[in-house]
Amino acid sequence: MEMVNMLRRVPLFAELDEAELKSIAALASSIEMPKKNIVVQEFDPGNSLYIILSGQVKVSTYSIEGREVVLALLGKGSFFGEMSLLDEEPRSANVSTMQDCKFANIRRCDLVPLLLEQPVISLKLLTETASRLRKTSSMLKRVSSMDVPHRVFTYLVDHCQRFGHQGADGLYRTILPTHQLLADQLSTSRETISRTISQLKKDSILQQGEGRGNMRIDVDKLEDMLNDF
Ligand code: CMP
């Protein structure tokens, strides 16, 4: 698909007219990367913004003990690399591909004039940054104040509300990330996640759904357990 058509579907540029989209498309370079590759390396200098045209990426860093901590998963239509672009500091995290990905890449020198001309793009960038800060703060709160089972319960409630859909029986249908990815997001080990998930299955709060990886989740029960905490 032509770059201009792909950029038209990106929420950041939703307000732009055809001519404006064309001028951004002319500035953007297209990058394709297979899965499990590093796109941005923490501490490297960075002066460009990446827009995800297809695929999914993982934003992560490493703890002092060398454990990977996943800060966010970002998908099609989202962006990354705005932090170094704005504050001119080194990259704040690693970004790697979870699937085959296609990106549009825009250099700082081309993007800054656009941000000054189009306050609506700047506002969207700020809104998304605020939302990411909120998510990171709530993750920090979860990790510092909850035991692992309760971290898993809050994660599942949030995941179901964002990505799941509720069936007529009241249970949410969703696909969960792998146990390793859950462990990296909740600062624990894969084994602890597996034990917690097994217990939730025994208690029928988590049930295997139709199709591979599909789960049915009793969010009401999870919320009750969180309220009792
Ligand atoms: P930058 O610092 O340029 O390079 C790494 C990118 O990862 C960063 O810009 C953001 O786009 C993204 N990033 C860093 N921290 C977080 C976070 N806590 N949540 C979501 N995305 C992040």
Short mmCIF file of all heavy atoms in Angstrom, two decimals, residues 1 18 25 28 46 67 85 93 95 99-100 173 198 201 206 208 219 225 228:
data_model
loop_
_atom_site.label_atom_id
_atom_site.label_comp_id
_atom_site.label_asym_id
_atom_site.label_seq_id
_atom_site.Cartn_x
_atom_site.Cartn_y
_atom_site.Cartn_z
N MET A 1 0.85 -1.20 0.00
CA MET A 1 0.00 0.00 0.00
C MET A 1 0.89 1.25 0.00
O MET A 1 1.94 1.26 0.62
CB MET A 1 -0.90 -0.01 1.24
CG MET A 1 -2.16 0.80 1.09
SD MET A 1 -3.01 1.05 2.68
CE MET A 1 -3.46 -0.61 3.12
N GLU A 18 -5.51 15.85 2.60
CA GLU A 18 -4.77 15.06 1.61
C GLU A 18 -3.38 15.65 1.31
O GLU A 18 -2.37 14.94 1.29
CB GLU A 18 -5.62 15.01 0.33
CG GLU A 18 -5.21 13.97 -0.67
CD GLU A 18 -5.35 12.55 -0.14
OE1 GLU A 18 -6.08 12.30 0.84
OE2 GLU A 18 -4.67 11.67 -0.70
N ALA A 25 4.13 12.06 3.92
CA ALA A 25 4.53 10.81 3.26
C ALA A 25 5.85 11.01 2.51
O ALA A 25 6.70 10.11 2.47
CB ALA A 25 3.44 10.34 2.31
N ALA A 28 8.65 10.78 5.07
CA ALA A 28 8.80 9.54 5.84
C ALA A 28 9.53 8.48 5.03
O ALA A 28 9.30 8.33 3.84
CB ALA A 28 7.42 9.02 6.22
N GLY A 46 19.09 9.25 19.62
CA GLY A 46 17.93 9.03 18.75
C GLY A 46 17.34 10.33 18.29
O GLY A 46 17.22 11.26 19.07
N ARG A 67 17.09 -8.74 34.64
CA ARG A 67 15.81 -9.25 34.19
C ARG A 67 15.10 -8.25 33.26
O ARG A 67 15.10 -7.05 33.53
CB ARG A 67 14.91 -9.52 35.42
CG ARG A 67 13.64 -10.19 34.99
CD ARG A 67 12.55 -9.98 35.91
NE ARG A 67 12.89 -10.10 37.30
CZ ARG A 67 12.04 -10.58 38.17
NH1 ARG A 67 10.93 -11.08 37.74
NH2 ARG A 67 12.31 -10.56 39.44
N LEU A 85 13.32 12.24 20.65
CA LEU A 85 13.11 13.27 19.63
C LEU A 85 12.78 14.62 20.29
O LEU A 85 13.26 15.66 19.88
CB LEU A 85 11.96 12.82 18.74
CG LEU A 85 11.64 13.67 17.54
CD1 LEU A 85 11.36 12.80 16.34
CD2 LEU A 85 10.46 14.57 17.80
N ALA A 93 14.52 3.39 26.33
CA ALA A 93 14.18 1.96 26.46
C ALA A 93 14.56 1.26 25.15
O ALA A 93 14.91 1.91 24.16
CB ALA A 93 12.69 1.81 26.72
N VAL A 95 13.32 -1.06 22.03
CA VAL A 95 12.07 -1.41 21.32
C VAL A 95 12.42 -2.52 20.34
O VAL A 95 13.34 -2.38 19.53
CB VAL A 95 11.48 -0.19 20.57
CG1 VAL A 95 10.16 -0.57 19.92
CG2 VAL A 95 11.27 1.00 21.52
N GLN A 99 6.47 -9.15 16.04
CA GLN A 99 5.97 -9.75 14.79
C GLN A 99 6.75 -9.07 13.65
O GLN A 99 7.44 -8.09 13.89
CB GLN A 99 4.49 -9.42 14.59
CG GLN A 99 3.59 -9.89 15.70
CD GLN A 99 2.18 -9.26 15.61
OE1 GLN A 99 1.93 -8.37 14.80
NE2 GLN A 99 1.30 -9.73 16.47
N ASP A 100 6.58 -9.56 12.42
CA ASP A 100 7.14 -8.83 11.28
C ASP A 100 6.48 -7.45 11.28
O ASP A 100 5.27 -7.36 11.45
CB ASP A 100 6.81 -9.54 9.96
CG ASP A 100 7.52 -10.88 9.87
OD1 ASP A 100 8.39 -11.15 10.72
OD2 ASP A 100 7.20 -11.65 8.96
N ARG A 173 -14.10 -12.77 26.81
CA ARG A 173 -13.30 -13.59 25.88
C ARG A 173 -12.07 -12.78 25.47
O ARG A 173 -12.23 -11.63 25.04
CB ARG A 173 -14.08 -13.92 24.61
CG ARG A 173 -14.93 -15.13 24.67
CD ARG A 173 -16.17 -14.90 25.48
NE ARG A 173 -17.07 -16.06 25.39
CZ ARG A 173 -17.97 -16.36 26.31
NH1 ARG A 173 -18.11 -15.62 27.38
NH2 ARG A 173 -18.75 -17.41 26.15
N SER A 198 -2.69 -21.47 36.86
CA SER A 198 -3.25 -22.81 37.14
C SER A 198 -4.28 -22.73 38.25
O SER A 198 -5.34 -23.35 38.17
CB SER A 198 -2.18 -23.80 37.60
OG SER A 198 -1.20 -23.91 36.67
N LYS A 201 -7.43 -21.35 37.03
CA LYS A 201 -8.16 -22.35 36.23
C LYS A 201 -8.88 -23.33 37.15
O LYS A 201 -10.04 -23.67 36.92
CB LYS A 201 -7.20 -23.09 35.29
CG LYS A 201 -6.80 -22.26 34.08
CD LYS A 201 -5.93 -23.05 33.16
CE LYS A 201 -5.56 -22.25 31.92
NZ LYS A 201 -4.45 -22.83 31.18
N LEU A 206 -10.69 -18.70 35.32
CA LEU A 206 -10.14 -18.72 33.96
C LEU A 206 -10.52 -20.04 33.33
O LEU A 206 -10.29 -21.10 33.92
CB LEU A 206 -8.62 -18.66 34.08
CG LEU A 206 -7.89 -17.62 33.24
CD1 LEU A 206 -8.01 -16.31 33.98
CD2 LEU A 206 -6.43 -17.98 33.13
N GLN A 208 -10.60 -22.35 29.56
CA GLN A 208 -10.14 -22.45 28.18
C GLN A 208 -11.30 -22.12 27.24
O GLN A 208 -12.39 -22.68 27.41
CB GLN A 208 -9.65 -23.88 27.93
CG GLN A 208 -8.67 -24.00 26.79
CD GLN A 208 -7.37 -23.24 27.08
OE1 GLN A 208 -6.77 -23.40 28.13
NE2 GLN A 208 -6.97 -22.39 26.15
N VAL A 219 -14.35 -11.72 35.15
CA VAL A 219 -13.80 -10.44 35.64
C VAL A 219 -14.48 -10.02 36.95
O VAL A 219 -13.82 -9.47 37.84
CB VAL A 219 -13.94 -9.36 34.54
CG1 VAL A 219 -13.62 -7.98 35.08
CG2 VAL A 219 -13.01 -9.68 33.37
N MET A 225 -12.10 -10.28 44.34
CA MET A 225 -10.87 -10.66 45.06
C MET A 225 -9.99 -9.43 45.28
O MET A 225 -9.33 -9.31 46.30
CB MET A 225 -10.13 -11.75 44.30
CG MET A 225 -10.93 -13.04 44.29
SD MET A 225 -9.99 -14.45 43.77
CE MET A 225 -9.58 -14.09 42.12
N ASP A 228 -11.38 -7.36 48.11
CA ASP A 228 -11.15 -7.97 49.44
C ASP A 228 -9.70 -7.82 49.89
O ASP A 228 -9.36 -8.14 51.02
CB ASP A 228 -11.47 -9.48 49.41
CG ASP A 228 -12.97 -9.70 49.25
OD1 ASP A 228 -13.72 -8.75 49.47
OD2 ASP A 228 -13.36 -10.82 48.87
#
